[in-house]
Amino acid sequence: QAFLFPPSPYHPFTKMQRFYATSMPSACLLVFLAVTSPTLAAAKGFLVERRSSFRGTVDANSLEQELSAALGEAMGCGGHISSDQLAAIEHQLTPIWSTLPKNGEGNIERRSLRYLVHRHFSRQSALQIRGFEPSRPANASGWGDADILAQRVPAFVESFLESSHKLERGFNLGDAARVVATIEQLVFDFEGSVLEEVYHEQHKPMGRSLSRQGMEQLLESYMIRWMIGDDEEGIQILSGNRSLLESTIPHWDQIVGFVNGQVKALDFKRQQAPALARTEASARPGHNAMEARYSFEDAHGIVGGITKSFASFWDSECRSMKASLVEMDTHHTGRVPLSKFYSHGLDAEWRFGESEEYLRELGALDETSWRGKQVIIPNYIQATSNCIISSEHYLVCCVNDCNGVLDEIESRIGAASAEPSQILAVMGNLSSHSTTLEEEHELQLQGSLTSQLEMIADAHGGQVPLHGRLFAQWLHFAFPRECPFPHKSGAVAALTPSEYGERYIASAEDMKAHAAQANASDSHAGLENEDLHWMSQWSAEEELIADYAAMGLRAPWQQRSWLFIMIGGLLGLLVVVAGVVGVAGSGLKVAAEPGLLPHHGKAHFV
């Protein structure tokens, strides 16, 4: 009998079901004043014990206590976030920080802070932090209808910092590091709460050391709970049926090997630094750091490392999925016809089964080409449907291949904007960049790509903002298999399958209907790429993560307004000279260069 769970946040698991079924003192004071109800003793208890369950409460007062305590740790109010840790975070943030637009005091805006935090976690651990998704408008007044912890955390984090830094001052690098440290602490506490559940489930006292076998048993149960989420019935069934577990969760044996490797890494660390191991154990009476015994703190540290490194471990699965898509991308546009996508899903690939409407909602569907509907490879790989872990605070997703491209551009330019010639020079000298199939990818920047970059600069006074939507769009067409297409904010939603609902998966009938047209898209395969599909999805609407006015850049609508004022003044002068009483109307049309797209359009801040 087929074993079917309800739609789970862990989408690869759900896909397989379908397949098989068919300043420090003042800062601390501000944190204290921001807490409305808890007593000092309660806050101190939270800091010492670290035992509150983030999964078990959505009470606003409790949330403020927990978050303020976590922020207090990050800001040095008696917690265990050290100045060295904050300095390390600042060092990691600096390459992106140096290219963000600053105000007159050298600080960044709230929107830029959100962008910086999102990029940091994406680069470091392929984590998407709830509330910081790029698809979410940054100026939204609310975080969603459901009053759950995950949707309120970002607003609380920012409100604390905004209370100590007025909006007109902006945020400095230290503020950004504290936000990152706070979120890291929240994630770490969440992992601890899941670990507590496993201890309780296995009737293991948290103050007692575990043997190697006991630790491995504990961590296996933790991984099931971490990957499945809150489906208690499913967790219990899988935990009690090893064969079903191995056939349901992809590569379970390899996952277990990865987890046991983390335990071995801890043993190695103890052997290499025995003095440090003894010091760490001295704070836990009854624990011998040099023996193969493990405390709750040891287990907590291991699961924290698993969260940070799991995307790298799972990357081979993402690469395999991307390789299958690239093989179907015969025109090298970073797109796969929806018919081929479903045909492959029916024949060999259990992972390609999202419904057409769900792909559209995720922003992974291009419907502008004469070839018909196409799946955008990097958008699909980065979609929440392919995130291996979905928790209340974060998702663990596939590594974003565009991060490497952006990192190199930012490190070489080191500013918030650049002239087209600078960008083209950097692009021409990028270090060896390879596609998923490890074939050398030679950039073709001449022609339309160069002209489009120049048009972006023309719309901004000769400079290209590196963190604007138009440049991200340009990068997508330069690296169509690596860099996602940037949809306008609010146009798509990062919804997991369970959040989207039952229609997240395509029916067999729909897949077969699309697959029947699989050969039609290749009917003109011999034509040149530009003649077939050159930037049909290009949108001229700009979105900026900050106000670039301080840098002397004008937004497109400002330029047009100034142009129209000049034209109006000239017409007025002609009217006077000619003695004309009235003018019925006037218009202005600019013919675009053949093969290019118009560069004028709306622009706004997100």
Side-chain angles (χ1 to χ4, degrees):
Q1 181 179 359
F3 178 68
L4 294 176
F5 293 97
S8 167
Y10 171 37
H11 191 52
F13 175 46
T14 324
K15 289 181 180 178
M16 288 203 71
Q17 294 167 17
R18 178 193 62 81
F19 176 72
Y20 286 114
T22 105
S23 94
M24 209 60 64
S26 61
C28 294
L29 177 62
L30 285 167
V31 171
F32 175 78
L33 293 176
V35 183
T36 57
S37 60
T39 63
L40 181 61
K44 182 179 179 181
F46 175 84
L47 288 173
V48 173
E49 294 298 327
R50 313 303 305 164
R51 292 292 183 267
S52 63
S53 175
F54 276 24
R55 295 161 68 93
T57 178
V58 293
D59 178 74
N61 291 334
S62 298
L63 174 60
E64 291 185 8
Q65 295 178 44
E66 293 166 347
L67 189 62
S68 62
L71 186 57
E73 293 181 357
M75 302 181 83
C77 308
H80 49 263
I81 302 295
S82 68
S83 58
D84 289 342
Q85 288 174 291
L86 287 175
I89 294 174
E90 288 188 18
H91 178 73
Q92 294 169 345
L93 294 175
T94 296
I96 305 176
W97 171 270
S98 64
T99 65
L100 292 175
K102 314 292 195 307
N103 60 20
E105 297 186 31
N107 298 332
I108 62 175
E109 295 182 7
R110 177 175 182 259
R111 294 162 295 184
S112 297
L113 176 63
R114 290 165 53 87
Y115 172 81
L116 178 62
V117 171
H118 167 75
R119 281 281 307 281
H120 170 78
F121 283 100
S122 175
R123 292 169 70 235
Q124 295 297 317
S125 307
L127 295 183
Q128 287 190 24
I129 303 300
R130 298 277 195 176
F132 288 83
E133 303 94 330
S135 60
R136 185 189 298 269
N139 55 359
S141 58
W143 297 97
D145 296 328
D147 213 17
I148 62 173
L149 173 66
Q151 292 169 319
R152 301 183 63 181
V153 163
F156 273 105
V157 170
E158 292 179 1
S159 68
F160 279 123
L161 290 177
E162 286 175 5
S163 67
S164 58
H165 296 275
K166 295 181 179 180
L167 291 177
E168 59 266 22
R169 283 189 56 195
F171 304 94
N172 59 36
L173 182 58
D175 297 330
R178 292 183 184 99
V179 171
V180 168
T182 301
I183 294 174
E184 287 181 346
Q185 187 63 48
L186 288 167
V187 170
F188 191 63
D189 287 338
F190 164 76
E191 294 156 353
S193 71
V194 179
L195 194 61
E196 289 175 20
E197 293 178 10
V198 179
Y199 265 86
H200 178 73
E201 180 183 274
Q202 296 188 0
H203 307 289
K204 288 181 168 66
M206 294 196 327
R208 183 182 301 172
S209 293
L210 300 178
S211 65
R212 177 66 173 270
Q213 181 180 0
M215 173 62 84
E216 292 178 352
Q217 180 187 41
L218 179 86
L219 292 177
E220 282 196 34
S221 296
Y222 172 87
M223 293 301 294
I224 295 173
R225 185 169 290 276
W226 188 53
M227 298 179 77
I228 301 302
D230 294 325
D231 182 1
E232 289 295 335
E233 182 180 1
I235 290 171
Q236 295 303 318
I237 293 174
L238 291 180
S239 298
N241 191 328
R242 183 77 181 192
S243 60
L244 181 60
L245 173 65
E246 293 176 350
S247 64
T248 303
I249 297 184
H251 313 299
W252 176 251
D253 287 342
Q254 296 178 35
I255 292 173
V256 171
F258 165 74
V259 171
N260 291 341
Q262 303 298 304
V263 180
K264 293 178 181 178
L266 175 61
D267 292 340
F268 180 78
K269 177 183 175 182
R270 289 172 168 176
Q271 294 169 3
Q272 294 299 308
L276 177 60
R278 292 191 185 94
T279 301
E280 291 176 344
S282 63
R284 303 191 294 274
H287 299 290
N288 189 332
M290 296 307 295
E291 293 183 2
R293 306 287 297 180
Y294 308 91
S295 66
F296 176 87
E297 287 75 12
D298 293 330
H300 196 182
I302 289 173
V303 300
I306 288 172
T307 299
K308 293 180 179 179
S309 60
F310 196 75
S312 297
F313 162 74
W314 196 254
D315 191 51
S316 60
E317 185 71 13
C318 296
R319 295 291 167 191
S320 173
M321 180 167 54
K322 184 175 179 179
S324 297
L325 293 170
V326 168
E327 188 177 359
M328 293 184 278
D329 178 23
T330 55
H331 301 294
H332 306 283
T333 60
R335 286 158 172 74
V336 173
L338 189 60
S339 56
K340 281 189 176 182
F341 179 82
Y342 284 140
S343 177
H344 212 64
L346 287 169
D347 294 339
E349 185 55 77
W350 54 266
R351 289 169 293 201
F352 302 153
E354 290 89 345
S355 66
E356 179 182 329
E357 61 185 53
Y358 186 36
L359 290 170
R360 183 180 299 112
E361 184 77 7
L362 293 170
L365 193 64
D366 178 3
E367 302 180 78
T368 65
S369 173
W370 67 268
R371 287 199 193 98
K373 299 168 183 177
Q374 301 182 97
V375 176
I376 311 170
I377 292 176
N379 291 63
Y380 178 76
I381 295 297
Q382 285 296 298
T384 50
S385 62
N386 288 310
C387 294
I388 188 66
I389 303 296
S390 175
S391 76
E392 294 139 313
H393 297 284
Y394 60 86
L395 299 97
V396 180
C397 305
C398 291
V399 173
N400 189 341
D401 290 334
C402 199
N403 280 333
V405 177
L406 274 172
D407 289 347
E408 194 154 359
I409 292 173
E410 290 166 342
S411 65
R412 296 197 181 192
I413 291 180
S417 64
E419 296 179 355
S421 58
Q422 291 178 273
I423 295 174
L424 292 172
V426 170
M427 297 290 283
N429 292 315
L430 284 177
S431 60
S432 180
H433 187 75
S434 300
T435 66
T436 304
L437 300 182
E438 304 302 328
E439 297 172 354
E440 193 65 23
H441 180 65
E442 184 177 351
L443 288 176
Q444 301 293 334
L445 298 177
Q446 295 78 18
S448 297
L449 267 176
T450 296
S451 299
Q452 287 298 120
L453 189 64
E454 292 170 348
M455 282 187 170
I456 297 173
D458 290 341
H460 293 286
Q463 295 278 312
V464 176
L466 296 188
H467 301 297
R469 180 186 169 276
L470 287 180
F471 182 62
Q473 188 174 227
W474 186 85
L475 277 179
H476 166 69
F477 287 106
F479 296 95
R481 294 174 174 174
E482 287 76 26
C483 295
F485 178 86
H487 293 277
K488 290 173 283 189
S489 60
V492 300
L495 299 176
T496 63
S498 61
E499 292 165 344
Y500 185 76
E502 294 180 358
R503 294 181 60 83
Y504 78 94
I505 204 77
S507 67
E509 292 75 17
D510 288 342
M511 294 177 70
K512 290 177 181 177
H514 281 288
Q517 307 172 16
N519 295 326
S521 61
D522 285 330
S523 58
H524 300 283
L527 298 179
E528 291 296 325
N529 176 44
E530 286 194 0
D531 294 331
L532 272 174
H533 186 90
W534 180 241
M535 294 185 179
S536 65
Q537 202 178 6
W538 183 279
S539 167
E541 186 168 2
E542 177 68 292
E543 290 182 345
L544 304 174
I545 63 169
D547 187 355
Y548 281 73
M551 304 172 54
L553 299 185
R554 290 182 181 274
W557 75 87
Q558 294 172 317
Q559 290 189 333
R560 291 202 309 279
S561 299
W562 179 248
L563 175 62
F564 290 145
I565 290 172
M566 293 178 58
I567 293 175
L570 179 58
L571 288 175
L573 179 62
L574 291 175
V575 167
V576 173
V577 173
V580 179
V581 176
V583 178
S586 63
L588 178 63
K589 293 183 179 180
V590 180
E593 182 181 341
L596 300 181
L597 296 164
H599 66 279
H600 57 280
K602 295 187 294 180
H604 58 274
F605 302 123
V606 295

